[in-house]
Amino acid sequence: MTTTRVAVPRKGRPLEAVLERLAGRTGTTDLADEIISTLRYEKAVTKGKQDAVADVYHRISDYSSLDTPYEPEYTLLRDDRDGMPRRIVFDSVTVPTEYGDVQLVGREEPFRALRTHEFALGFDSADLVLEEVVQLRDEPLTAIHEINDRIDPLDTDVRVVTGLGDTVYHTLLATPEVMDSQDGPLDRTFVTNYEGELCISPRYERLVEAVLGTSALDGVSFTYPMEGGEEEADIAATGLGVYLTVTGSTARDHGLELGEQLFPSETVLLENAHERTETTEQVASLFEEPEETALQSI
C-alpha cells in the first residue's frame, strides 16, 4: 500500500491534537504520548523552566532513530527568543493504518504547503485560514463550517474538512466602564453600536474583521498591545478588545468582563481538492469524528 503524507505543525497544541486523534483511531497512544512529552520537555528547556541533562545535539540523537521504522524523527530550528537558541521540534513519524502508512510531516506553515500542492492533506489553525484567504463581508463569520463558503475558488484549492475540537475562543473583553456605556450584553451588536478603540493582536486584524463583520467596525479603530506587554492589560487600558481566551481568569485579574465567544481557534483538517484521491479521502476519514451509532443514541 502507498504512504500518504500529511502536513502538520512542528510543535504546540495543534500537533498534539493531531497525534491524539490519530492515536485514538490506530491504537498508537504510546507513540503519541512519547512525541508529546518529548516536545513539552524541549519547550520547557527552551524557556529555561527545565535543565537539560545533555546538550541539544546529544538529545536529538537520543530521540531520533533513523534506522527504525515507525519511530519519530526530530529536527532543530532556531527559536525566536533572545539569543535564538536551537529548539528541538517534530520532523516526521510514520503510522501504519488500515489505509496504508500515514506519514505526518512537520512544516512551519502547513496551510501554505497545501496551497502550493506539496501535500493533499494537512492540519493548521483555523485562524490562519481566516487571515490568509477568507473573504471579508458585512456579515460576521461565526463558525468553522462557514469558512469554505468564504474562500474564493480562484484563490486556492484548499478547503476545511473538519475540526479537531481543541477549541479556544477569540472572545470580546471590556472594562465595566465600557460595558456601562450601553445596555445589553457584550456581543457583536455591542461592537456595532460602539465607537472608539478596539485593542487586538496585530496578527489577528483580518480575522477580527471577518468574525465581527466589516459593518460592525464602522467608527472603530484598532489599537495594538505594546511589545512585550500583557495583552489583557492593554485591553483594560483601551476599554474594549478581542483576546484568545482560555479560562478568563487572567482577564478578570485586570478587571475585564468576558463577552461573546466570537470564533473558535481550532486545529482543522485541510484538503487540497485538486490533489484528492480515493486514498486521501480514506486517510481523511481517520481524523473525522465518528458518527453517532444507534446504541449511543438510545
Side-chain angles (χ1 to χ4, degrees), residues 3 6 59 61 73 83 92 101 123 152 169 220 227 250-251 269:
T3 297
V6 179
R59 297 199 307 277
S61 177
E73 298 176 18
S92 65
D101 286 349
F123 291 87
D152 185 345
Y169 283 91
V220 172
E227 185 70 28
T250 308
L269 171 61

Side-chain angles (χ1 to χ4, degrees), residues 9-249:
R10 290 195 180 275
K11 58 185 183 297
R13 175 176 59 89
L15 175 59
E16 293 184 7
V18 175
L19 291 167
E20 290 168 352
R21 177 63 61 85
L22 186 58
R25 303 296 166 80
T26 60
T28 53
T29 302
D30 289 346
L31 175 63
D33 289 346
E34 174 192 343
I35 296 171
I36 291 170
S37 62
T38 296
L39 294 176
R40 286 182 178 178
Y41 169 77
E42 287 301 323
K43 177 181 179 179
V45 170
T46 303
K47 289 180 173 290
K49 298 179 179 179
Q50 179 79 44
D51 293 328
V53 296
D55 66 36
V56 68
Y57 299 103
H58 283 91
R59 297 199 307 277
I60 196 171
S61 177
D62 290 339
Y63 298 151
S64 298
S65 180
L66 301 181
D67 298 327
T68 306
Y70 307 116
E71 290 295 319
E73 298 176 18
Y74 301 87
T75 191
L76 290 172
L77 289 182
R78 288 287 187 186
D79 192 88
D80 59 2
R81 304 176 73 83
D82 290 344
M84 298 184 67
R86 288 187 179 274
R87 178 172 177 177
I88 294 176
V89 295
F90 176 76
D91 184 73
S92 65
V93 70
T94 300
V95 178
T97 78
E98 60 185 302
Y99 304 122
D101 286 349
V102 173
Q103 184 184 33
L104 304 180
V105 182
R107 285 290 184 269
E108 285 302 290
E109 298 173 331
F111 175 53
R112 291 172 185 170
L114 265 73
R115 293 193 72 186
T116 57
H117 297 257
E118 186 180 350
F119 294 84
L121 298 172
F123 291 87
D124 216 327
S125 170
D127 294 353
L128 186 60
V129 183
L130 267 63
E131 283 293 311
E132 292 266 330
V133 296
V134 299
Q135 298 170 334
L136 301 180
R137 299 178 185 172
D138 286 345
E139 303 78 20
L141 179 67
T142 60
I144 295 286
H145 71 264
E146 298 174 356
I147 292 177
N148 288 343
D149 293 336
R150 298 240 185 149
I151 297 177
D152 185 345
L154 298 178
D155 188 19
T156 180
D157 293 315
V158 179
R159 298 293 183 274
V160 174
V161 178
T162 189
L164 292 187
D166 57 328
T167 309
V168 181
Y169 283 91
H170 294 277
T171 304
L172 274 172
L173 305 175
T175 60
E177 293 77 15
V178 169
M179 286 283 294
D180 291 342
S181 67
Q182 294 184 37
D183 293 329
L186 180 59
D187 56 13
R188 289 180 174 86
T189 301
F190 186 99
V191 179
T192 300
N193 298 325
Y194 171 83
E195 291 189 358
E197 295 182 335
L198 178 71
C199 185
I200 64 171
S201 170
R203 70 183 185 277
Y204 288 137
E205 184 168 316
R206 203 168 185 277
L207 179 149
V208 171
E209 291 176 323
V211 301
L212 285 174
T214 54
S215 63
L217 295 171
D218 291 342
V220 172
S221 59
F222 290 145
T223 64
Y224 309 103
M226 295 178 60
E227 185 70 28
E230 194 169 15
E231 290 196 35
E232 290 101 323
D234 289 287
I235 292 173
T238 301
L240 181 67
V242 177
Y243 188 65
L244 199 58
T245 307
V246 181
T247 64
S249 60

